[in-house]
Amino acid sequence: KNIKNILIIKLGGAGDIILATPIIKNFKKLIPQANLHVLVLEDVASLLNNNPHIKTTTIINFDDSKQKIKNVARSFDTYDIDLAVNLQSTNFSSKVLKRISSRWKINRSYYFRDKNTDVLVGFENTYRSVIERDFDVLRSIGLNPVEKSTEVFLDGREINWAKEFFLLNGLSQNKKTVVVHPCSSLKIRSWGIDNFTILCKKLVLEGDCQIIINCSPNELDSVAVIKDIVPEVCLFSGSLRELLSL
């Protein structure tokens, strides 16, 4: 009951942010009197737009200057943070947590108890889902998760945009839709455009699916071969919020 403001730090990519929505929701349901503040990377902050559980969203970048990082950390002094939780314990995020003034701190790290934090989350194995491992933070302070589903919140304008996109591209809202992202920023993670081309062709011919190829503007040339061989696919290159709408 004494916790009035909670800071959740999640410095990860788009998927990491979506997978953090269950613990955000649980913190609000289990400690309803607390205001939730989140600190995320600038590129993915929009994924939390319209989230009713969040009071404020603050952004940071890995290449920010030391002074900028100090300023971001000091900005939370305004909220009198009672509990600061770092959900992705890396060197960078741990350094950010160290600079933040908070009554209690938790670093979700299975391998060490950081001297700058107050709770050891504990370790079982690495074969559990990220959501379950985040929930260990709640369990470590005596709270039991009540809901485990991810969630995003779209407004009416975004939903109407998606409906128009489907209409303009000849897509049906009543047909099975598969979104494919065939490119990777790391070569070691790449499955190969040829394999994705075969997959898309099978999904169209054998699975009766409609395919949306998601890519960045810089990747359009790389995925053009898929469109050449499987003309039924639809190419999409837009914002994260637009992708969520689809």
Side-chain angles (χ1 to χ4, degrees), residues 108-121:
R108 187 176 74 73
S109 171
Y110 292 110
Y111 305 109
F112 61 90
R113 183 184 186 278
D114 190 279
K115 65 181 181 181
N116 300 306
T117 62
D118 301 291
V119 177
L120 177 62
V121 174

Side-chain angles (χ1 to χ4, degrees), residues 1-34:
K1 294 182 178 180
N2 294 326
I3 296 179
K4 302 299 182 184
N5 288 281
I6 298 173
L7 171 62
I8 298 174
I9 303 171
K10 186 68 172 183
L11 304 186
D16 298 313
I17 297 302
I18 297 299
L19 292 174
T21 57
I23 194 172
I24 292 173
K25 174 171 55 179
N26 272 270
F27 262 122
K28 190 60 181 175
K29 285 185 174 294
L30 296 170
I31 313 179
Q33 78 279 3

